Amino acid sequence: MDKIRRYFPSGDEYVTEDALKNLRNYKYRAVDKSFLTKYLYRHYWEWAVTLFPRWMAPNLITLTGLSFEVFDVLLVLLIMPDLEGPGPSWLYFAFGIGMWLYSTFDNVDGKQARRTGTSSPLGELFDHGCDALNCTIAGIVEASAFGCGISWQTITIIFFTTMTFFFSTWEEYHTGVLYLGYINGPTEILTFAVLACFASGIWGPGIWHVPASQGLPLIGSLFPATWELMDAMLAVTFVAMLFGHCMVCCWNVYSACKEQNRSFLATLPQITQYVAFSASCYIWLRNSTTILTNNHLVLFLITAGTAFGRIVSKIILAHLTEMPFPSYTVQMVPLAVGAAFSWLGLFTPRTELAFLVISAMFVVVAYLHWALVVIERFCEFLGINCLSIRPPASGQSTPNRQSSGFLSPNSVSLVTAPLSPTSAPKSPGKPTDLWISPTKSKQKSKGTSEGNLQDALVNMKKAQKLAKKDPAVAATVLWKVSRDIARYPKQKSNLESALSTTQRCLYDMADLPELRGDKESGSLWSARLLLKTILECDLAVARLLWLDNKQQAARNYMDALARYLGIEPKIFDKLKACNLESKDRMAQEVIAGLPRKFSKQEDILQALNALEEAASAQLTAQDSERGLVLYLLRHAFAQKKQPEVAYQTIASLISMLQKMGLGYMANACAVLIIKYHMDEPDAHMQIAHAVVNSIEDADLVQARHLLEKYNSQFTEPWSQFIDMFVSKLVIADVEWMCNCAYTEWSHIYQDRDVYKLIDTAIAKQLGDFCIQEVL
C-alpha cells in the first residue's frame, strides 16, 4: 500500500493544517429569492425532513439523493443507450421521479443538519460536491428524456448546467453568499425538467422535436425554419442563462470587490479555468473520430463531468478554508491532451477509445482519492463522521457537536466518580473485597467487551449476596456495573433482580424524614452516605428501565430526584403548569428551601449531574415541559451552590431545545440570560440570535418581549449591540422586512433615535437589503 500511496499527493497537499484552522470561521450564507421556494417548496421540505430518522446523517441523505440520479443513468445505459429512444413510458416517469427525489433530498439535508445539530463545513463541501457531479449526471438523464440522442443538443444541455454551476460557485467564493435568484436552476429549472420528463412519458419525446413554428405558434416565426422546438428552447435558455445568471454573478462579484476595495478585473482570469475546460471538450468532440459516431458520448461526459466536479469542488474547498482561488487541477490534463491529439489528427478510432477509457479511469480514481482524503481530514479536524452521527464520547456530559442534541440516560456520565468501595464505611463483611478490579480479574479477556461483561456479572452476583449486609456498598457496585450490563439484553433480568434487592434493602434502612440533613449519625451509615447510595441505585434502575419503557423511566428519574433532594414529587407537576417566569421564580424558591445543606462538593456535583441526567431523559422522552423544569431547578441549584456552571446550564438548555425543534421555547429561555447572565462574554449575541430566530418564526411578540427586557436593563450599549446584531444577519427579502418587521418594531422603539440607529445599522451592513436569517 505504501508503494501505491507514493504515487498520490499527500493530504497536506490537498488542504493544509493552517487552512483547516480557518474552518472555525465558517458561516453558511445563502439567499433564495425563488417564489416557488418561499410559498410552496419550503413547506414541503419542512414536512419531508420529519420523515427522516434523527440518527440519519445529513451527508447520508445527500448521497442517497445522488444515488437516485445515478440509478437513472444506469437505466439509460441499459434501456436507451442512444439517449434518443423512444423508450417505454415508465422510463421517463422514472427519470422525473429520480430528479424530484434528488431535489427533495438535496434540500432536506440542510434542514436535517439543523434539526440534529450537525451542521458543519463538511456538509457544505459534500453537498456542493454532489451537486457538481450531478450537473453532468442530471444532464444525461434530461437529454434522454428530451430524446436528444448522441448529438450537440445533449452536449449543449451539459454545457448549460456546468456553466451556471461554475459561475455560482465563483460568485460564492468572492461574496461569501450562495445567491439563488427569482428563477434559478435548483428550483424552477429542475421543476420544469421533472415536468418535461413526465410529459415525455405521456406523449413521448417526439413532442420536443416538432418544428419550432408548430411548438411555439406565437413566437415560432422568430426562429429559423429548420429549427426544432428543442433548438428554440436551448436558444432561449442560453440567452436567459447569459444575461439572467452569468451577468448577475459578475455584478455581485463586482459589488463585493468594490466593497472590499479589491480589483474586479483581477478576478476575471479565474473564469479562464472553465473556458479552458469547455474549449477542451468542444475541440475534442468536434474533431473526434469515434465519440459521436460510435456512441461513446456518455463515457466522455462522465470523464468530463468528473473533472468538472473536481474543478468546482476545489473552489468550494478554497472558500471554506480561505485558501487562494485554485487555478489548475490535474484532471484537466486528459481533456487538454485529448483535445490536442484530436485536433492534430493523431487519433484513430481504436486509439481514441483506448485513450478515453484510460482518461476516465484516471479522472475517477484521482477524484475519489482527493475526495476521500479531504473528507477524512475534515472529519479528523472537526471531530465528526461523514455518513453517520457520532455518539457522545465516553465521559462527555454535554452533547457532541454531531450528536442528535440529547443524551440518553445510558450515555450521561457524572462529573464526579461514584462512591468507591474504598471510601465506604468498613463493616464486618469487608465490603471492599467485593469489587473485582478489571485489571485483576482472571475472567477478563483484555480489551474485549466480553471481558467487561464477565467482570460486571461477577460484581453483580457478589453485590446481590451482600445487599442485605452492606446495601450501600452493594448499590455503589451495582450503579457502576449497570451501564455495562444494560448493553446486553440477555442479562437484563439478572441485573434487574439485583437492583431490586438492593433498592429494597436501602429503603428499609432509610427513615427518610430523619435523614434530611448533613449531620453524621452515630449509626454505621451516615444519612448523607445512605441518601447518596439510594440515588445511585435509583438511577441504575431508571437506566435499566430506559431500555424498555422510556416514559416510565423518566418518571423514575423524577422520583429519584425528589427523594434525594428531599422535596415532594408533586412539586414538579406544579412547576410544569406555570409559565416560564413563574417556573423560574418557583424553582428558585424550591432550591432555597431544600432541607439538605449540600455542604460537601461531592454532593453538589452529584446533585447537578443527577438533575442533568433526569432533564435529558425528560427531553428525550418528549416531555419538554418537565425537562425545562429540571433544567431550571439545576440552574437555580447551580446559582446557589456552584455559580460557574449556572450560565452553561441555560446555554445548554437553549441549544438542546433548538436542536429538538422547539425554537419558541429556546427563544423564550433567552429571557433568563437577560435576567441573570448579561456579564457573560457571548450573552449579548445569544439575545441577538433569539430575537432574530423569533422574527424568522413569525413570533414578533416574543421578539418584542426580548428586546423590551434587554432595553429595560441596558441603555448605553445599544449602538454596539445593534451593530453586532445586524452584522450577523443575512441578506433577505426587502418587502417582508419593510411591511412586517418595521411595522412591528415601531411599537418597540418609542425612542425615534434608537429606531433611526437600527435603520442606519441595517443600511450600513446590508445596503438595500434587510434581515431574515442568523448565520
Side-chain angles (χ1 to χ4, degrees), residues 414 507 516 531 534-536 538-539 542 553-569 571-572 590-591 594-596 598 606-618 626-627 629-631 633-634 637:
L414 297 183
Y507 291 165
R516 293 177 179 176
L531 285 172
I534 288 176
L535 176 66
E536 290 170 347
D538 287 347
L539 293 180
R555 288 192 289 272
N556 278 29
Y557 275 108
M558 305 293 280
D559 293 338
L561 278 174
R563 187 178 296 113
Y564 184 64
L565 297 175
I567 60 178
E568 295 294 331
I571 194 66
F572 298 121
V590 168
I591 296 301
L594 287 180
R596 293 192 61 193
F598 288 96
Q606 186 175 33
L608 286 171
N609 285 281
L611 282 163
E612 183 179 21
E613 182 173 350
S616 177
Q618 300 299 328
R626 288 185 188 272
V629 165
L630 290 174
Y631 263 104
L633 286 171
R634 187 181 193 271
F637 187 87

Side-chain angles (χ1 to χ4, degrees), residues 56-93:
M56 191 171 187
N59 291 337
L60 183 58
I61 294 177
T62 307
L63 189 62
T64 304
L66 182 63
S67 69
F68 293 121
E69 291 282 56
V70 173
F71 180 73
D72 281 345
V73 171
L74 294 177
L75 290 178
V76 170
L77 295 175
L78 291 173
I79 299 175
M80 201 166 61
D82 61 355
L83 311 185
E84 185 172 1
S89 295
W90 65 264
L91 181 63
Y92 300 101
F93 284 103

